[in-house]
Amino acid sequence: MKGRKFAILVSGAPAPGMNAAVLSAAERASSLGAEAIGIMDGFSGLMKGEFNAVPLSGFGLHKAHLTGGCIIGSSKANPASSAEALRNTADVLAANDVDFMLVIGGDDSASALSRLADYAKRMGYAKLCTSFIPKTIDNDLPLPMGTKTLGFETARSAGAKIAETLINDAASDGCWFIATTMGMKTGHIAMGIGKAAEAAVTLVPEAFSKDSKNVISQAAEIIAGSILKRLFCGYSYGVAVVAEGLLHLCEDRIGISAERDSYGNIRLAQFDIAGMLKSEVIKKLRRMKIEIPILCKSIGYEIRGADPCPFDVEYGRNLGYAAAEYLSDGGEGGMIYIENGKTASVQISSLIDPESGRIKMRYLNPESLSFKTAVKYMTMLDKSDFADEFRICRLARMAKMTPAEFRKEFEFSESFSLL
């Protein structure tokens, strides 16, 4: 690496631990004799033919690895959004003699980097070698089972603390909260938060049929059933944690006029998922003559911008070091992760879905011990409730219904039950 240029770029949404990875990679590259630079604000400048970079060799930011956000900025700009953007990005990197480029990002960023690297090689920029650090609170990149993405642990911890305060507030006021979490199409962060905070119920897209046409109504039914069952057990309060990814199950209906980002993803923040669920839950409770205040809370931006926990600080530093070593040893096009305490990598190109042209996603596994344990300790109407005639009569009486009416009202819950 001696005398060569090593560029670091952060792409996509914030995730705790990014700064640790940036600085660690820069320090290791510098120690190997490279000129370490940081590309400012992701791909946004490169796509316009601009090279906005800062020196990172001996950057010396005191304790910057312990802070949230990103010291070199980031963006969701997509260098593969057009032929012109790809050409400008490749040209400006070549013109500024960039030999190695480390990108820290999520699934969209990995897809974009793969296309950029392929384009650069086709255009004859053979010297550009790339590596990638998987960073996202969504934990949805296809790494080996149990391997976390950078930022997930901090986000889960910070989110669980928020959920715990909601439970305390709900217990004091005798109300319910519907807390929606980020996570794109998967439920990793929602399940992690709900399980850690002991939420009454956590709803994730992996628990529903991909062909579901009424997921909001179905989710509302489960929450209403949870409220009723908690009342049956003597508790007039609770928190339901809901993954925003539920909306992706009805993407064919909401996606026509929905606002999208540069990668074509629907901006789920534009939809009031909690509000939709609240409206449906209230309708169901009123049919049961139950009046309980329901409040809404979104958990997302505050957890992805949180200062990293010790795990993500250490993990970021390990990944940054490993990524620089990987490129120094002649590696190219690999996504870096840590397995059994050692550096491991997988070719990004091997993770591309040939149909969509995008990185494959890692979903929660409903058959895993972690998933089953989480569901076991939720408070939902389950098969045992419907199988016990005495219990059904008591629940129906609370709901001001006959047992037959109760079964009809919670028909989906009986078939949905994972317990």
Side-chain angles (χ1 to χ4, degrees):
M1 270 196 179
K2 191 171 184 180
R4 304 174 76 182
K5 194 171 289 185
F6 181 99
I8 302 172
L9 180 150
V10 180
S11 176
M18 295 186 299
N19 290 334
V22 169
L23 293 176
S24 177
E27 289 169 5
R28 184 55 183 151
S30 297
S31 70
L32 293 169
E35 177 190 354
I37 60 171
I39 306 294
M40 298 298 294
D41 303 323
F43 285 107
S44 59
L46 299 179
M47 291 165 52
K48 295 181 286 188
E50 301 170 357
F51 193 73
N52 302 318
V54 295
L56 292 178
S57 300
F59 204 46
L61 282 179
H62 182 56
K63 295 188 176 180
H65 62 287
L66 301 176
T67 62
C70 185
I71 55 174
I72 58 174
S74 181
S75 78
K76 293 185 178 181
N78 179 6
S81 59
S82 68
E84 181 184 9
L86 266 178
R87 182 175 63 254
N88 287 343
T89 303
D91 285 349
V92 75
L93 289 172
N96 285 276
D97 299 317
V98 173
D99 301 285
F100 305 100
M101 186 164 76
L102 166 62
V103 173
I104 303 170
D107 60 315
D108 289 325
S109 305
S111 300
L113 178 61
S114 180
R115 291 187 62 184
L116 173 63
D118 181 64
Y119 177 85
K121 285 180 174 55
R122 285 191 287 111
M123 293 297 105
Y125 304 146
K127 75 170 187 174
L128 179 64
C129 296
T130 61
S131 64
F132 186 84
I133 288 178
K135 164 278 305 178
T136 171
I137 68 169
D138 301 336
N139 200 37
D140 58 359
L141 285 160
L143 299 170
M145 184 64 66
T147 303
K148 305 294 193 300
T149 55
L150 182 62
F152 172 75
E153 287 291 355
T154 298
R156 176 172 64 169
S157 177
K161 289 178 181 178
I162 293 171
E164 288 168 11
T165 63
L166 295 182
I167 293 172
N168 293 338
D169 191 282
S172 300
D173 277 0
C175 67
W176 269 71
F177 281 93
I178 297 177
T180 55
T181 72
M182 290 181 168
M184 293 299 290
K185 295 184 178 182
T186 68
H188 295 279
I189 193 68
M191 189 65 89
I193 289 171
K195 187 177 181 182
E198 295 187 341
V201 62
T202 301
L203 299 179
V204 295
E206 291 89 339
F208 291 80
S209 168
K210 292 182 179 179
D211 300 322
S212 176
K213 300 298 182 184
N214 302 297
V215 67
I216 296 299
S217 177
Q218 292 168 350
E221 180 182 318
I222 294 168
I223 295 172
S226 181
I227 291 173
L228 179 66
K229 190 165 181 177
R230 295 251 319 158
L231 285 170
F232 181 79
C233 296
Y235 302 101
S236 62
Y237 67 92
V239 171
V241 176
V242 180
E244 67 176 6
L246 288 186
L247 277 183
H248 277 290
L249 298 178
C250 48
E251 187 172 343
D252 57 333
R253 286 179 290 155
I254 67 171
I256 297 175
S257 59
E259 181 185 348
R260 295 175 180 265
D261 64 21
S262 61
Y263 289 93
N265 300 308
I266 293 176
R267 295 186 187 276
L268 295 179
Q270 69 191 286
F271 298 100
D272 182 11
I273 309 171
M276 296 179 198
L277 288 169
K278 174 181 175 178
S279 178
E280 290 292 319
V281 171
I282 288 175
K283 289 178 186 177
K284 295 179 183 296
L285 293 180
R286 283 178 178 167
R287 286 199 289 271
M288 296 185 285
K289 307 296 191 295
I290 294 174
E291 294 289 338
I292 286 184
I294 298 178
L295 305 172
C296 299
K297 169 67 178 173
S298 174
I299 301 176
Y301 295 107
E302 63 269 60
I303 63 176
R304 71 184 196 180
D307 289 345
C309 67
F311 175 90
D312 278 323
V313 171
E314 179 184 9
Y315 194 31
R317 299 189 81 171
N318 288 345
L319 287 171
Y321 182 97
E325 286 277 304
Y326 169 84
L327 289 172
S328 177
D329 292 341
E332 158 60 13
M335 182 181 293
I336 310 301
Y337 61 97
I338 309 297
E339 186 173 46
N340 297 323
K342 297 181 180 180
T343 301
S345 66
V346 58
Q347 287 294 301
I348 298 175
S349 58
S350 71
L351 305 177
I352 302 289
D353 183 334
E355 291 187 11
S356 66
R358 305 176 73 161
I359 295 288
K360 300 171 187 176
M361 305 203 79
R362 176 174 63 179
Y363 292 90
L364 285 171
N365 179 8
E367 298 302 316
S368 69
L369 174 63
S370 178
F371 193 100
K372 290 181 177 179
T373 303
V375 173
K376 186 66 177 177
Y377 292 102
M378 295 181 197
T379 305
M380 296 187 293
L381 291 174
D382 57 53
K383 291 180 180 178
S384 65
D385 293 317
F386 293 95
D388 187 327
E389 289 300 324
F390 179 68
R391 180 179 282 261
I392 277 288
C393 288
R394 292 182 65 190
L395 286 167
R397 193 179 305 119
M398 283 188 67
K400 309 297 188 297
M401 298 176 181
T402 66
E405 290 171 335
F406 185 85
R407 285 185 180 278
K408 185 175 181 180
E409 181 71 20
F410 291 99
E411 183 178 15
F412 175 75
S413 297
E414 184 174 9
S415 64
F416 171 85
S417 178
L418 298 172
L419 298 176

